[in-house]
């Protein structure tokens, strides 16, 4: 792919692009309750019977991936656009991690801060980027997938979750995942 997001050369970016996800990351994010259930069954099979516990496990995996993947991009890429985006992701998901821990404490449920298999596979793919593919490109492709797929989970729980406190957390995460202030 061509364009400013797939080039490891330093570039000047407008301030707004540093605080918002690229347009490709914001499009196509609507999914229904069926997508939520399917993702929960695939991503968190042990917790799939309990939507609240499934959301906690999924949110912890998302947070862990976002922090680890973005920190990797900050260390190993040179693109100013990628650095700006990754830096914003680290800030956003550091706060989200604190909010998640607080929400779990509020509902008195354990929170296991671990990657699930899908997010682990994505992070492994970033760590071992294929020859000929830039980390910038791999990172942004992984971000597009994670933000698109995981946004559906948070939107579905925000609309129909069974725990009011975690519904609030999911509602708070939706704009973060869309790259809105």
């Amino acid at each position: 792919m061509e364009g400013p997001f797939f080039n490891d050369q330093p570039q000047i970016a407008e301030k707004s692009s540093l605080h918002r996800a690229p347009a490709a990351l914001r499009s196509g994010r609507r999914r229904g309750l069926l997508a939520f259930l399917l993702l929960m069954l695939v991503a968190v099979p042990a917790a799939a019977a309990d939507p609240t516990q499934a959301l906690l496990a999924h949110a912890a995996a998302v947070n862990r991936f976002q922090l680890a993947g973005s920190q990797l991009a900050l260390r190993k890429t040179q693109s100013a656009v990628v650095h700006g985006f990754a830096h914003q992701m680290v800030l956003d998901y550091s706060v989200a991690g604190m909010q998640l821990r607080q929400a779990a404490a509020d509902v008195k449920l354990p929170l296991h801060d671990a990657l699930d298999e899908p997010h682990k596979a994505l992070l492994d793919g970033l760590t071992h980027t294929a020859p000929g593919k830039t980390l910038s490109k791999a990172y942004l492709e992984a971000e597009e997938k994670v933000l698109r797929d995981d946004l559906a989970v948070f939107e579905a729980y925000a609309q129909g979750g069974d725990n009011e406190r975690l519904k609030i957390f999911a509602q708070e995460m939706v704009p973060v995942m869309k790259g809105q202030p």
Side-chain angles (χ1 to χ4, degrees), residues 8 72-73 76-77 126-127 129 133-140:
D8 275 356
L72 179 68
K76 298 199 173 199
T77 64
L126 288 177
T127 305
T129 304
K133 186 174 189 178
T134 68
L135 180 62
S136 293
K137 181 178 180 180
Y139 170 68
L140 291 171

Side-chain angles (χ1 to χ4, degrees), residues 10-168:
Q11 297 183 15
I12 305 293
E14 292 179 29
K15 184 177 179 182
S16 65
S17 70
L18 297 179
H19 301 289
R20 294 183 54 88
L25 296 178
R26 293 190 310 264
S27 65
R29 295 196 173 143
R30 288 282 180 199
R31 301 281 190 264
L33 184 56
L34 179 60
F36 169 71
L37 295 173
L38 289 173
L39 283 170
M40 288 296 98
L41 289 173
V42 172
V44 195
D50 179 3
T52 298
Q53 199 62 46
L55 178 75
L56 284 173
H58 193 80
V62 168
N63 195 65
R64 190 90 186 254
F65 170 80
Q66 292 294 6
L67 290 172
S70 297
Q71 289 166 347
L72 179 68
L74 286 170
R75 282 193 316 272
K76 298 199 173 199
T77 64
Q78 297 175 5
S79 168
V81 173
V82 172
H83 271 247
F85 182 73
H87 179 72
Q88 189 62 47
M89 296 301 279
V90 169
L91 293 175
D92 289 347
Y93 283 89
S94 293
V95 171
M98 289 186 284
Q99 292 172 333
L100 175 61
R101 286 187 290 282
Q102 184 60 54
D106 289 350
V107 297
K108 297 177 177 36
L109 289 173
L111 181 65
H112 305 288
D113 187 22
L115 287 170
D116 56 14
E117 284 305 313
H119 291 95
K120 184 178 182 333
L122 282 171
L123 186 59
D124 288 346
L126 288 177
T127 305
H128 309 300
T129 304
K133 186 174 189 178
T134 68
L135 180 62
S136 293
K137 181 178 180 180
Y139 170 68
L140 291 171
E141 287 174 354
E143 283 295 328
E144 183 176 8
K145 178 181 179 7
V146 167
L147 291 173
R148 179 189 61 238
D149 295 348
D150 294 337
L151 175 62
V153 173
F154 285 91
E155 285 178 327
Y157 196 91
Q159 292 175 2
D162 61 351
N163 182 291
E164 284 304 312
R165 175 61 180 97
L166 291 176
K167 281 176 74 170
I168 292 168

